[in-house]
Amino acid sequence: MADLAENLRGAVLMTASMAAFTINDTFIKSLAEDLPLMQTVFLRGLAATPLLALMAWWRGALRFRMARRDAGLLALRSLTEILAALFFLTALYNMPLANATAILQAAPLMVTLAGALFFGEAIGIWRMSAILVGFAGVLLIVQPGGDGFTSYSIWALAAVVAVVARDVLTRKMSGALPSLTVATVTAFSVGAAAGLVALFEPWVPVSGPSALALSGSVISILFAYLFSVTAVRVGDMGFVAPFRYTGLVWALVLGFLAFGDFPGPLTLLGSAVVIGAGLFTYLRERRLSIRRREISQAPPR
């Protein structure tokens, strides 16, 4: 178990990672009126992939020889990442930043549920109740049938499903496959898929401000990957992981500052419910993990 200093370092890195991811989303959303989505994603991947590959090589984490099982899982993971990017960025282009981010906060709850369904993990009545409460919070955010409902909320929900599938596949990979190799292949796959689709769409000349926004997106996504990879290797996951929810705080601030958007009361309430349920689930899992460790290390009677 990590000491307090390592846990705090991991928490800071996770918070910085969420800030960088949200800054990337802000830059991408700022291009909605200037560039087609697929052209934007392709150009970002074109710049980000070689830089990620260089970062992975520099850290000795660039490997293309891998076990056949890992290669198959990586291919499937790349497909789910392509779908997650398509769904989430489509939603992001067409709805407020904080709303899209709030819906995405349901992913950790669904990952816990997927762990029970696909890995046979016991979740118990308390965590199952938290998952159901979290889903109720998602309904408050999406507001189906209400005045605040937008069809693009469905795209954000589809992104959650794709993210869960991605994380399930990631958990099946062996520890021998470096995270930065996965990130590099992912960036290439998403960019290449967007480039193929963009061939069938009109291209728009990239203006100076658009080029600056794209550059900001590339830089922020690099820092996001670097911080997130480092964060999960520093400190205890049970301590560090809840700081993923700071992404919503960043989205609220940047969405207001950059676009003048601020969610309504129901969306804020739903976001609080989702985050509360997620934090309860994390803390419950951490407590049970500590208890199991203590039982396994207890001397026989």
Side-chain angles (χ1 to χ4, degrees), residues 138-172:
V138 172
L139 291 177
L140 287 174
I141 299 169
V142 175
Q143 299 172 41
D147 294 336
F149 176 75
T150 169
S151 60
Y152 291 105
S153 297
I154 305 301
W155 288 84
L157 288 171
V160 172
V161 175
V163 166
V164 172
R166 178 200 67 189
D167 289 352
V168 168
L169 291 167
T170 303
R171 289 176 62 173
K172 289 178 174 289

PDB file of all heavy atoms in Angstrom, residues 138-172:
ATOM      1  N   VAL A 138     -28.262   9.835 -13.928  1.00  0.00           N
ATOM      2  CA  VAL A 138     -28.099  10.008 -15.370  1.00  0.00           C
ATOM      3  C   VAL A 138     -29.409  10.446 -16.010  1.00  0.00           C
ATOM      4  O   VAL A 138     -29.432  11.316 -16.902  1.00  0.00           O
ATOM      5  CB  VAL A 138     -27.591   8.704 -16.020  1.00  0.00           C
ATOM      6  CG1 VAL A 138     -27.612   8.819 -17.544  1.00  0.00           C
ATOM      7  CG2 VAL A 138     -26.180   8.384 -15.542  1.00  0.00           C
ATOM      8  N   LEU A 139     -30.518   9.879 -15.557  1.00  0.00           N
ATOM      9  CA  LEU A 139     -31.828  10.272 -16.090  1.00  0.00           C
ATOM     10  C   LEU A 139     -32.122  11.741 -15.792  1.00  0.00           C
ATOM     11  O   LEU A 139     -32.733  12.439 -16.619  1.00  0.00           O
ATOM     12  CB  LEU A 139     -32.923   9.384 -15.506  1.00  0.00           C
ATOM     13  CG  LEU A 139     -32.924   7.920 -15.964  1.00  0.00           C
ATOM     14  CD1 LEU A 139     -34.026   7.143 -15.249  1.00  0.00           C
ATOM     15  CD2 LEU A 139     -33.112   7.823 -17.479  1.00  0.00           C
ATOM     16  N   LEU A 140     -31.682  12.218 -14.626  1.00  0.00           N
ATOM     17  CA  LEU A 140     -31.870  13.630 -14.305  1.00  0.00           C
ATOM     18  C   LEU A 140     -31.051  14.520 -15.250  1.00  0.00           C
ATOM     19  O   LEU A 140     -31.480  15.617 -15.618  1.00  0.00           O
ATOM     20  CB  LEU A 140     -31.463  13.906 -12.861  1.00  0.00           C
ATOM     21  CG  LEU A 140     -32.408  13.384 -11.767  1.00  0.00           C
ATOM     22  CD1 LEU A 140     -31.788  13.602 -10.395  1.00  0.00           C
ATOM     23  CD2 LEU A 140     -33.755  14.075 -11.859  1.00  0.00           C
ATOM     24  N   ILE A 141     -29.878  14.033 -15.638  1.00  0.00           N
ATOM     25  CA  ILE A 141     -29.034  14.805 -16.561  1.00  0.00           C
ATOM     26  C   ILE A 141     -29.632  14.791 -17.964  1.00  0.00           C
ATOM     27  O   ILE A 141     -29.745  15.826 -18.624  1.00  0.00           O
ATOM     28  CB  ILE A 141     -27.604  14.227 -16.582  1.00  0.00           C
ATOM     29  CG1 ILE A 141     -26.961  14.310 -15.200  1.00  0.00           C
ATOM     30  CG2 ILE A 141     -26.740  14.972 -17.602  1.00  0.00           C
ATOM     31  CD1 ILE A 141     -25.665  13.535 -15.075  1.00  0.00           C
ATOM     32  N   VAL A 142     -30.026  13.609 -18.419  1.00  0.00           N
ATOM     33  CA  VAL A 142     -30.533  13.469 -19.791  1.00  0.00           C
ATOM     34  C   VAL A 142     -31.935  14.064 -19.923  1.00  0.00           C
ATOM     35  O   VAL A 142     -32.279  14.640 -20.957  1.00  0.00           O
ATOM     36  CB  VAL A 142     -30.540  11.975 -20.190  1.00  0.00           C
ATOM     37  CG1 VAL A 142     -31.162  11.787 -21.562  1.00  0.00           C
ATOM     38  CG2 VAL A 142     -29.112  11.427 -20.173  1.00  0.00           C
ATOM     39  N   GLN A 143     -32.756  13.915 -18.876  1.00  0.00           N
ATOM     40  CA  GLN A 143     -34.130  14.439 -18.858  1.00  0.00           C
ATOM     41  C   GLN A 143     -34.946  13.962 -20.060  1.00  0.00           C
ATOM     42  O   GLN A 143     -35.411  14.784 -20.866  1.00  0.00           O
ATOM     43  CB  GLN A 143     -34.122  15.967 -18.813  1.00  0.00           C
ATOM     44  CG  GLN A 143     -33.446  16.544 -17.595  1.00  0.00           C
ATOM     45  CD  GLN A 143     -33.283  18.049 -17.669  1.00  0.00           C
ATOM     46  OE1 GLN A 143     -34.189  18.749 -18.113  1.00  0.00           O
ATOM     47  NE2 GLN A 143     -32.135  18.542 -17.247  1.00  0.00           N
ATOM     48  N   PRO A 144     -35.098  12.647 -20.238  1.00  0.00           N
ATOM     49  CA  PRO A 144     -35.865  12.164 -21.389  1.00  0.00           C
ATOM     50  C   PRO A 144     -37.304  12.652 -21.335  1.00  0.00           C
ATOM     51  O   PRO A 144     -37.973  12.542 -20.309  1.00  0.00           O
ATOM     52  CB  PRO A 144     -35.793  10.636 -21.237  1.00  0.00           C
ATOM     53  CG  PRO A 144     -35.472  10.405 -19.798  1.00  0.00           C
ATOM     54  CD  PRO A 144     -34.647  11.562 -19.356  1.00  0.00           C
ATOM     55  N   GLY A 145     -37.779  13.201 -22.438  1.00  0.00           N
ATOM     56  CA  GLY A 145     -39.137  13.714 -22.497  1.00  0.00           C
ATOM     57  C   GLY A 145     -39.292  15.108 -21.940  1.00  0.00           C
ATOM     58  O   GLY A 145     -40.364  15.701 -22.048  1.00  0.00           O
ATOM     59  N   GLY A 146     -38.243  15.666 -21.340  1.00  0.00           N
ATOM     60  CA  GLY A 146     -38.320  17.010 -20.765  1.00  0.00           C
ATOM     61  C   GLY A 146     -37.903  18.077 -21.763  1.00  0.00           C
ATOM     62  O   GLY A 146     -37.410  17.791 -22.859  1.00  0.00           O
ATOM     63  N   ASP A 147     -38.072  19.329 -21.349  1.00  0.00           N
ATOM     64  CA  ASP A 147     -37.724  20.448 -22.239  1.00  0.00           C
ATOM     65  C   ASP A 147     -36.227  20.517 -22.490  1.00  0.00           C
ATOM     66  O   ASP A 147     -35.787  21.006 -23.527  1.00  0.00           O
ATOM     67  CB  ASP A 147     -38.201  21.774 -21.624  1.00  0.00           C
ATOM     68  CG  ASP A 147     -39.722  21.854 -21.546  1.00  0.00           C
ATOM     69  OD1 ASP A 147     -40.379  21.145 -22.346  1.00  0.00           O
ATOM     70  OD2 ASP A 147     -40.237  22.600 -20.698  1.00  0.00           O
ATOM     71  N   GLY A 148     -35.434  20.048 -21.511  1.00  0.00           N
ATOM     72  CA  GLY A 148     -33.980  20.126 -21.675  1.00  0.00           C
ATOM     73  C   GLY A 148     -33.385  18.962 -22.442  1.00  0.00           C
ATOM     74  O   GLY A 148     -32.172  18.881 -22.622  1.00  0.00           O
ATOM     75  N   PHE A 149     -34.242  18.029 -22.910  1.00  0.00           N
ATOM     76  CA  PHE A 149     -33.717  16.844 -23.596  1.00  0.00           C
ATOM     77  C   PHE A 149     -33.210  17.203 -24.988  1.00  0.00           C
ATOM     78  O   PHE A 149     -33.817  17.983 -25.713  1.00  0.00           O
ATOM     79  CB  PHE A 149     -34.799  15.778 -23.709  1.00  0.00           C
ATOM     80  CG  PHE A 149     -34.362  14.560 -24.492  1.00  0.00           C
ATOM     81  CD1 PHE A 149     -33.511  13.638 -23.926  1.00  0.00           C
ATOM     82  CD2 PHE A 149     -34.783  14.376 -25.801  1.00  0.00           C
ATOM     83  CE1 PHE A 149     -33.105  12.522 -24.638  1.00  0.00           C
ATOM     84  CE2 PHE A 149     -34.389  13.265 -26.527  1.00  0.00           C
ATOM     85  CZ  PHE A 149     -33.543  12.335 -25.937  1.00  0.00           C
ATOM     86  N   THR A 150     -32.087  16.614 -25.362  1.00  0.00           N
ATOM     87  CA  THR A 150     -31.553  16.722 -26.708  1.00  0.00           C
ATOM     88  C   THR A 150     -31.169  15.330 -27.183  1.00  0.00           C
ATOM     89  O   THR A 150     -30.668  14.519 -26.395  1.00  0.00           O
ATOM     90  CB  THR A 150     -30.331  17.665 -26.775  1.00  0.00           C
ATOM     91  OG1 THR A 150     -29.706  17.532 -28.052  1.00  0.00           O
ATOM     92  CG2 THR A 150     -29.326  17.343 -25.683  1.00  0.00           C
ATOM     93  N   SER A 151     -31.397  15.064 -28.453  1.00  0.00           N
ATOM     94  CA  SER A 151     -31.093  13.731 -28.981  1.00  0.00           C
ATOM     95  C   SER A 151     -29.608  13.419 -28.876  1.00  0.00           C
ATOM     96  O   SER A 151     -29.208  12.252 -28.879  1.00  0.00           O
ATOM     97  CB  SER A 151     -31.553  13.633 -30.438  1.00  0.00           C
ATOM     98  OG  SER A 151     -30.887  14.595 -31.241  1.00  0.00           O
ATOM     99  N   TYR A 152     -28.784  14.459 -28.772  1.00  0.00           N
ATOM    100  CA  TYR A 152     -27.346  14.214 -28.674  1.00  0.00           C
ATOM    101  C   TYR A 152     -26.944  13.633 -27.322  1.00  0.00           C
ATOM    102  O   TYR A 152     -25.831  13.136 -27.166  1.00  0.00           O
ATOM    103  CB  TYR A 152     -26.575  15.505 -28.970  1.00  0.00           C
ATOM    104  CG  TYR A 152     -26.692  15.900 -30.425  1.00  0.00           C
ATOM    105  CD1 TYR A 152     -27.512  16.953 -30.820  1.00  0.00           C
ATOM    106  CD2 TYR A 152     -26.014  15.192 -31.411  1.00  0.00           C
ATOM    107  CE1 TYR A 152     -27.647  17.300 -32.156  1.00  0.00           C
ATOM    108  CE2 TYR A 152     -26.142  15.528 -32.745  1.00  0.00           C
ATOM    109  CZ  TYR A 152     -26.958  16.579 -33.114  1.00  0.00           C
ATOM    110  OH  TYR A 152     -27.079  16.909 -34.438  1.00  0.00           O
ATOM    111  N   SER A 153     -27.859  13.698 -26.346  1.00  0.00           N
ATOM    112  CA  SER A 153     -27.606  13.002 -25.080  1.00  0.00           C
ATOM    113  C   SER A 153     -27.494  11.496 -25.310  1.00  0.00           C
ATOM    114  O   SER A 153     -26.756  10.803 -24.605  1.00  0.00           O
ATOM    115  CB  SER A 153     -28.728  13.293 -24.086  1.00  0.00           C
ATOM    116  OG  SER A 153     -28.787  14.663 -23.767  1.00  0.00           O
ATOM    117  N   ILE A 154     -28.233  10.993 -26.303  1.00  0.00           N
ATOM    118  CA  ILE A 154     -28.156   9.565 -26.632  1.00  0.00           C
ATOM    119  C   ILE A 154     -26.764   9.215 -27.145  1.00  0.00           C
ATOM    120  O   ILE A 154     -26.229   8.140 -26.849  1.00  0.00           O
ATOM    121  CB  ILE A 154     -29.223   9.191 -27.676  1.00  0.00           C
ATOM    122  CG1 ILE A 154     -30.615   9.608 -27.195  1.00  0.00           C
ATOM    123  CG2 ILE A 154     -29.175   7.707 -27.988  1.00  0.00           C
ATOM    124  CD1 ILE A 154     -31.035   8.974 -25.891  1.00  0.00           C
ATOM    125  N   TRP A 155     -26.163  10.132 -27.914  1.00  0.00           N
ATOM    126  CA  TRP A 155     -24.787   9.908 -28.381  1.00  0.00           C
ATOM    127  C   TRP A 155     -23.825   9.836 -27.195  1.00  0.00           C
ATOM    128  O   TRP A 155     -22.909   8.998 -27.184  1.00  0.00           O
ATOM    129  CB  TRP A 155     -24.359  11.022 -29.335  1.00  0.00           C
ATOM    130  CG  TRP A 155     -25.016  10.975 -30.673  1.00  0.00           C
ATOM    131  CD1 TRP A 155     -26.238  11.478 -31.005  1.00  0.00           C
ATOM    132  CD2 TRP A 155     -24.499  10.382 -31.869  1.00  0.00           C
ATOM    133  NE1 TRP A 155     -26.515  11.237 -32.337  1.00  0.00           N
ATOM    134  CE2 TRP A 155     -25.457  10.569 -32.892  1.00  0.00           C
ATOM    135  CE3 TRP A 155     -23.311   9.711 -32.182  1.00  0.00           C
ATOM    136  CZ2 TRP A 155     -25.275  10.108 -34.189  1.00  0.00           C
ATOM    137  CZ3 TRP A 155     -23.120   9.260 -33.479  1.00  0.00           C
ATOM    138  CH2 TRP A 155     -24.086   9.457 -34.465  1.00  0.00           C
ATOM    139  N   ALA A 156     -24.030  10.698 -26.201  1.00  0.00           N
ATOM    140  CA  ALA A 156     -23.168  10.671 -25.016  1.00  0.00           C
ATOM    141  C   ALA A 156     -23.350   9.366 -24.241  1.00  0.00           C
ATOM    142  O   ALA A 156     -22.377   8.790 -23.730  1.00  0.00           O
ATOM    143  CB  ALA A 156     -23.466  11.870 -24.125  1.00  0.00           C
ATOM    144  N   LEU A 157     -24.597   8.888 -24.144  1.00  0.00           N
ATOM    145  CA  LEU A 157     -24.844   7.604 -23.476  1.00  0.00           C
ATOM    146  C   LEU A 157     -24.199   6.454 -24.250  1.00  0.00           C
ATOM    147  O   LEU A 157     -23.660   5.520 -23.647  1.00  0.00           O
ATOM    148  CB  LEU A 157     -26.348   7.369 -23.338  1.00  0.00           C
ATOM    149  CG  LEU A 157     -27.075   8.245 -22.310  1.00  0.00           C
ATOM    150  CD1 LEU A 157     -28.588   8.073 -22.438  1.00  0.00           C
ATOM    151  CD2 LEU A 157     -26.619   7.909 -20.897  1.00  0.00           C
ATOM    152  N   ALA A 158     -24.249   6.513 -25.579  1.00  0.00           N
ATOM    153  CA  ALA A 158     -23.583   5.490 -26.397  1.00  0.00           C
ATOM    154  C   ALA A 158     -22.078   5.521 -26.153  1.00  0.00           C
ATOM    155  O   ALA A 158     -21.415   4.470 -26.139  1.00  0.00           O
ATOM    156  CB  ALA A 158     -23.902   5.709 -27.874  1.00  0.00           C
ATOM    157  N   ALA A 159     -21.540   6.724 -25.936  1.00  0.00           N
ATOM    158  CA  ALA A 159     -20.104   6.841 -25.633  1.00  0.00           C
ATOM    159  C   ALA A 159     -19.780   6.140 -24.319  1.00  0.00           C
ATOM    160  O   ALA A 159     -18.729   5.498 -24.185  1.00  0.00           O
ATOM    161  CB  ALA A 159     -19.699   8.307 -25.565  1.00  0.00           C
ATOM    162  N   VAL A 160     -20.684   6.243 -23.328  1.00  0.00           N
ATOM    163  CA  VAL A 160     -20.475   5.556 -22.046  1.00  0.00           C
ATOM    164  C   VAL A 160     -20.384   4.054 -22.260  1.00  0.00           C
ATOM    165  O   VAL A 160     -19.502   3.383 -21.709  1.00  0.00           O
ATOM    166  CB  VAL A 160     -21.617   5.898 -21.062  1.00  0.00           C
ATOM    167  CG1 VAL A 160     -21.509   5.046 -19.805  1.00  0.00           C
ATOM    168  CG2 VAL A 160     -21.575   7.374 -20.695  1.00  0.00           C
ATOM    169  N   VAL A 161     -21.285   3.504 -23.074  1.00  0.00           N
ATOM    170  CA  VAL A 161     -21.269   2.062 -23.351  1.00  0.00           C
ATOM    171  C   VAL A 161     -19.947   1.669 -24.014  1.00  0.00           C
ATOM    172  O   VAL A 161     -19.327   0.651 -23.660  1.00  0.00           O
ATOM    173  CB  VAL A 161     -22.461   1.674 -24.244  1.00  0.00           C
ATOM    174  CG1 VAL A 161     -22.380   0.195 -24.638  1.00  0.00           C
ATOM    175  CG2 VAL A 161     -23.776   1.958 -23.523  1.00  0.00           C
ATOM    176  N   ALA A 162     -19.491   2.482 -24.972  1.00  0.00           N
ATOM    177  CA  ALA A 162     -18.230   2.184 -25.657  1.00  0.00           C
ATOM    178  C   ALA A 162     -17.045   2.275 -24.694  1.00  0.00           C
ATOM    179  O   ALA A 162     -16.120   1.453 -24.762  1.00  0.00           O
ATOM    180  CB  ALA A 162     -18.032   3.149 -26.831  1.00  0.00           C
ATOM    181  N   VAL A 163     -17.065   3.243 -23.799  1.00  0.00           N
ATOM    182  CA  VAL A 163     -15.991   3.391 -22.810  1.00  0.00           C
ATOM    183  C   VAL A 163     -15.949   2.178 -21.880  1.00  0.00           C
ATOM    184  O   VAL A 163     -14.873   1.668 -21.538  1.00  0.00           O
ATOM    185  CB  VAL A 163     -16.177   4.695 -22.009  1.00  0.00           C
ATOM    186  CG1 VAL A 163     -15.291   4.704 -20.764  1.00  0.00           C
ATOM    187  CG2 VAL A 163     -15.858   5.899 -22.880  1.00  0.00           C
ATOM    188  N   VAL A 164     -17.114   1.699 -21.472  1.00  0.00           N
ATOM    189  CA  VAL A 164     -17.168   0.516 -20.610  1.00  0.00           C
ATOM    190  C   VAL A 164     -16.589  -0.696 -21.333  1.00  0.00           C
ATOM    191  O   VAL A 164     -15.788  -1.460 -20.766  1.00  0.00           O
ATOM    192  CB  VAL A 164     -18.617   0.242 -20.157  1.00  0.00           C
ATOM    193  CG1 VAL A 164     -18.706  -1.095 -19.426  1.00  0.00           C
ATOM    194  CG2 VAL A 164     -19.110   1.358 -19.256  1.00  0.00           C
ATOM    195  N   ALA A 165     -16.973  -0.885 -22.600  1.00  0.00           N
ATOM    196  CA  ALA A 165     -16.427  -1.999 -23.382  1.00  0.00           C
ATOM    197  C   ALA A 165     -14.910  -1.871 -23.504  1.00  0.00           C
ATOM    198  O   ALA A 165     -14.176  -2.861 -23.378  1.00  0.00           O
ATOM    199  CB  ALA A 165     -17.070  -2.025 -24.769  1.00  0.00           C
ATOM    200  N   ARG A 166     -14.438  -0.644 -23.721  1.00  0.00           N
ATOM    201  CA  ARG A 166     -12.993  -0.404 -23.798  1.00  0.00           C
ATOM    202  C   ARG A 166     -12.296  -0.790 -22.508  1.00  0.00           C
ATOM    203  O   ARG A 166     -11.253  -1.461 -22.518  1.00  0.00           O
ATOM    204  CB  ARG A 166     -12.747   1.079 -24.103  1.00  0.00           C
ATOM    205  CG  ARG A 166     -11.283   1.480 -24.172  1.00  0.00           C
ATOM    206  CD  ARG A 166     -11.125   2.974 -23.988  1.00  0.00           C
ATOM    207  NE  ARG A 166     -11.484   3.376 -22.632  1.00  0.00           N
ATOM    208  CZ  ARG A 166     -11.594   4.658 -22.249  1.00  0.00           C
ATOM    209  NH1 ARG A 166     -11.442   5.632 -23.126  1.00  0.00           N
ATOM    210  NH2 ARG A 166     -11.885   4.942 -20.987  1.00  0.00           N
ATOM    211  N   ASP A 167     -12.864  -0.376 -21.372  1.00  0.00           N
ATOM    212  CA  ASP A 167     -12.224  -0.661 -20.092  1.00  0.00           C
ATOM    213  C   ASP A 167     -12.261  -2.147 -19.748  1.00  0.00           C
ATOM    214  O   ASP A 167     -11.329  -2.673 -19.131  1.00  0.00           O
ATOM    215  CB  ASP A 167     -12.889   0.160 -18.985  1.00  0.00           C
ATOM    216  CG  ASP A 167     -12.557   1.639 -19.076  1.00  0.00           C
ATOM    217  OD1 ASP A 167     -11.698   1.999 -19.912  1.00  0.00           O
ATOM    218  OD2 ASP A 167     -13.154   2.430 -18.334  1.00  0.00           O
ATOM    219  N   VAL A 168     -13.335  -2.829 -20.127  1.00  0.00           N
ATOM    220  CA  VAL A 168     -13.400  -4.278 -19.910  1.00  0.00           C
ATOM    221  C   VAL A 168     -12.308  -4.978 -20.704  1.00  0.00           C
ATOM    222  O   VAL A 168     -11.616  -5.875 -20.188  1.00  0.00           O
ATOM    223  CB  VAL A 168     -14.792  -4.825 -20.303  1.00  0.00           C
ATOM    224  CG1 VAL A 168     -14.781  -6.343 -20.357  1.00  0.00           C
ATOM    225  CG2 VAL A 168     -15.849  -4.344 -19.318  1.00  0.00           C
ATOM    226  N   LEU A 169     -12.123  -4.577 -21.956  1.00  0.00           N
ATOM    227  CA  LEU A 169     -11.064  -5.162 -22.780  1.00  0.00           C
ATOM    228  C   LEU A 169      -9.686  -4.833 -22.214  1.00  0.00           C
ATOM    229  O   LEU A 169      -8.778  -5.680 -22.233  1.00  0.00           O
ATOM    230  CB  LEU A 169     -11.175  -4.642 -24.218  1.00  0.00           C
ATOM    231  CG  LEU A 169     -12.392  -5.141 -25.006  1.00  0.00           C
ATOM    232  CD1 LEU A 169     -12.576  -4.327 -26.280  1.00  0.00           C
ATOM    233  CD2 LEU A 169     -12.237  -6.619 -25.347  1.00  0.00           C
ATOM    234  N   THR A 170      -9.525  -3.620 -21.692  1.00  0.00           N
ATOM    235  CA  THR A 170      -8.238  -3.229 -21.112  1.00  0.00           C
ATOM    236  C   THR A 170      -7.888  -4.107 -19.919  1.00  0.00           C
ATOM    237  O   THR A 170      -6.734  -4.506 -19.735  1.00  0.00           O
ATOM    238  CB  THR A 170      -8.279  -1.750 -20.685  1.00  0.00           C
ATOM    239  OG1 THR A 170      -8.624  -0.936 -21.811  1.00  0.00           O
ATOM    240  CG2 THR A 170      -6.927  -1.296 -20.153  1.00  0.00           C
ATOM    241  N   ARG A 171      -8.885  -4.434 -19.108  1.00  0.00           N
ATOM    242  CA  ARG A 171      -8.648  -5.269 -17.926  1.00  0.00           C
ATOM    243  C   ARG A 171      -8.248  -6.685 -18.308  1.00  0.00           C
ATOM    244  O   ARG A 171      -7.616  -7.392 -17.508  1.00  0.00           O
ATOM    245  CB  ARG A 171      -9.901  -5.293 -17.055  1.00  0.00           C
ATOM    246  CG  ARG A 171     -10.177  -3.981 -16.361  1.00  0.00           C
ATOM    247  CD  ARG A 171     -11.468  -4.005 -15.584  1.00  0.00           C
ATOM    248  NE  ARG A 171     -11.461  -4.992 -14.514  1.00  0.00           N
ATOM    249  CZ  ARG A 171     -12.434  -5.112 -13.616  1.00  0.00           C
ATOM    250  NH1 ARG A 171     -13.479  -4.319 -13.667  1.00  0.00           N
ATOM    251  NH2 ARG A 171     -12.365  -6.036 -12.680  1.00  0.00           N
ATOM    252  N   LYS A 172      -8.606  -7.127 -19.501  1.00  0.00           N
ATOM    253  CA  LYS A 172      -8.256  -8.464 -19.946  1.00  0.00           C
ATOM    254  C   LYS A 172      -6.828  -8.541 -20.491  1.00  0.00           C
ATOM    255  O   LYS A 172      -6.286  -9.636 -20.668  1.00  0.00           O
ATOM    256  CB  LYS A 172      -9.240  -8.932 -21.023  1.00  0.00           C
ATOM    257  CG  LYS A 172     -10.646  -9.243 -20.501  1.00  0.00           C
ATOM    258  CD  LYS A 172     -11.560  -9.661 -21.632  1.00  0.00           C
ATOM    259  CE  LYS A 172     -12.919 -10.115 -21.122  1.00  0.00           C
ATOM    260  NZ  LYS A 172     -12.856 -11.418 -20.430  1.00  0.00           N
TER     261      LYS A 172
END
